[in-house]
Amino acid sequence: MRRVYLDHAATTPLAPEVLEEMTPYLTEHYGNASSVHQLGREARVTLEEARERVADCLGAASSEIVFTSGGTEADNLAIKGVIAARAEAGASTGLVTSAAEHEAVLRPAERLAEQGHPVNILEPDAHGIVTPQQVDAAIDDQTALVSLMHANNEIGVCTDISGVAEVCDANDVLLHCDAVQTAGLFDLDVDALGVDLLSLSGHKFYGPKGVGALFVRGGVDLGPLVEGGSQERERRGGTENVPGVVGLAAALEQALDAAEERRPQLVRLQRRLVDGLEDAVPCDYRLNTPVDQVDTAPHVVNVAFPPNGEEPVDGEMLILNLDMEGVLVSAGSACTSGALEPSHVLKALGLDRETASAAVRFSFGTQTTADDIDYALDKLHTTLDRMVGGL
Ligand code: PLP
């Protein structure tokens, strides 16, 4: 049966060229980068080359790149690391973030609040966006760090990070940006963006899973999250994942080389899907990725089906039915699917419980074609017809 993978915001397939670059470091060049013998020295050189490559992609210095086990760890390190260092220095420790962030930001924020640090979780507007003005109003003399994502992983809406950076700069507050959904799709020059910390994750741009990076601007103090050896300039203990970081660097370079070409392709697919929903959906629907009203990441479309008449659409059932038709999509973020609680992001938009529970996220990638979108729309139509009886 035909399979159409429309879940690229959850993860992407490893690019063959990336695997090729990684393979020697999984096989013959297996040294530990901390060993002093030739295999170790060789691994150290490769590790530092990968760091330089990632730094170049972000317009950063290699000393500003900390390799991590992925986006979750990068977000945790940014938030807990900055606040721990500030607390140790006796400085302010307040955090400002938004209710629409990924759990990798929200859980550390909750933890900090439990520990008594001032945490301000802003409510986004009806599109899911927090504005620079809102951030400005929320910053007070206790604020040390603002953490906001570039593009939302569930609904794709973008934050005006440069605008927020201006506000942070004017208030002398640090800015962390979770760019996990946009790294490799946009040119994320850390100086142009004005961020002090930025998270990215390899598996979102055709690199390997389990490897990510945190940009930490020179001079920003960071307490370690994972303690052990003195790797990563004492900011992250543990034997370095040499094949992983080679894959991360190769994938990021490759994605950025192709980004200019890829973005308009993705925008066309996004438009095709949004326009096609009108005909394909035999019931009410709510577009949670308002492509005509705000900036969005080009690879995401989130749509919810409000109860229409007696029978609300069961989102989980819809996804399983689409799966049986070969259309692979997600309910909100992959990290929350499986949980019965409706997505916190959709709830933050003000959606009622039933509508939020019946949301589907389509997300495209390099290999998605216009025909794949048409196929998904067709299957969405027949599936919904069956489920809501053509209401
Ligand atoms: N932040 C965002 C916006 C994400 O979309 C994800 C993954 O879905 C993460 C963080 C976590 O990244 P990882 O899967 O590499 O831990």
Side-chain angles (χ1 to χ4, degrees), residues 103-126:
E103 285 85 351
V105 167
L106 287 176
R107 293 289 93 81
E110 280 168 17
R111 177 75 62 211
L112 292 177
E114 280 164 20
Q115 291 166 351
H117 300 289
V119 172
N120 188 347
I121 301 185
L122 303 176
E123 286 304 324
D125 66 14

Side-chain angles (χ1 to χ4, degrees), residues 95-372:
L95 171 72
V96 172
T97 185
S98 130
E101 296 302 302
H102 192 274
E103 285 85 351
V105 167
L106 287 176
R107 293 289 93 81
E110 280 168 17
R111 177 75 62 211
L112 292 177
E114 280 164 20
Q115 291 166 351
H117 300 289
V119 172
N120 188 347
I121 301 185
L122 303 176
E123 286 304 324
D125 66 14
H127 296 312
I129 298 169
V130 163
T131 61
Q133 293 75 13
Q134 244 180 305
V135 175
D136 198 23
I139 291 175
D140 59 24
D141 55 6
Q142 293 196 301
T143 312
L145 176 69
V146 171
S147 177
L148 290 172
M149 69 208 320
H150 188 207
N152 186 282
N153 52 301
E154 295 195 36
I155 56 176
V157 298
C158 289
T159 313
D160 172 8
I161 291 296
S162 307
V164 173
E166 277 174 33
V167 166
C168 290
D169 197 37
N171 287 283
D172 205 12
V173 162
L174 297 173
L175 174 60
H176 165 244
C177 177
D178 174 340
V180 167
Q181 284 296 331
T182 47
L185 259 186
F186 291 91
D187 186 13
L188 299 179
D189 183 289
V190 288
D191 287 339
L193 277 177
V195 296
D196 300 293
L197 302 114
L198 182 132
S199 307
L200 50 87
S201 175
H203 73 107
K204 305 289 183 177
F205 46 82
Y206 308 89
K209 291 174 181 54
V211 60
L214 179 67
F215 157 75
V216 186
R217 191 171 288 285
V220 172
D221 278 339
L222 203 68
L225 190 69
V226 179
E227 293 180 85
S230 56
Q231 292 93 346
E232 300 296 301
R233 296 170 170 246
E234 305 204 344
R235 292 174 293 189
R236 202 264 182 189
T239 299
E240 298 91 339
N241 177 359
V242 176
V245 300
V246 167
L248 180 81
L252 188 58
E253 283 175 352
Q254 200 183 64
L256 285 175
D257 281 349
E260 286 291 308
E261 211 176 304
R262 248 173 221 174
R263 275 197 313 269
Q265 284 167 1
L266 293 168
V267 168
R268 279 196 291 277
L269 296 171
Q270 189 187 43
R271 170 58 59 192
R272 194 175 186 95
L273 180 54
V274 167
D275 289 349
L277 286 172
E278 194 76 37
D279 289 331
V281 178
C283 57
D284 280 352
Y285 67 93
R286 183 192 194 278
L287 190 61
N288 297 320
T289 309
V291 290
D292 291 320
Q293 282 140 23
V294 298
D295 283 343
T296 70
H299 63 301
V300 175
V301 173
N302 187 305
V303 57
F305 304 97
N308 190 346
E310 297 292 296
E311 288 297 315
V313 174
D314 178 337
E316 195 112 343
M317 201 51 98
L318 175 59
I319 284 156
L320 290 175
N321 275 296
L322 287 172
D323 186 30
M324 284 193 297
E325 302 277 8
V327 178
L328 280 56
V329 296
S330 191
S333 77
C335 315
T336 50
S337 56
L340 292 173
E341 262 303 286
S343 135
H344 68 280
V345 175
L346 299 177
K347 284 202 289 189
L349 294 186
L351 265 63
D352 62 69
R353 215 186 149 80
E354 279 182 331
T355 308
S357 303
V360 176
R361 179 188 66 187
F362 299 86
S363 51
F364 339 112
T366 49
Q367 272 153 31
T368 312
T369 63
D371 195 51
D372 289 338

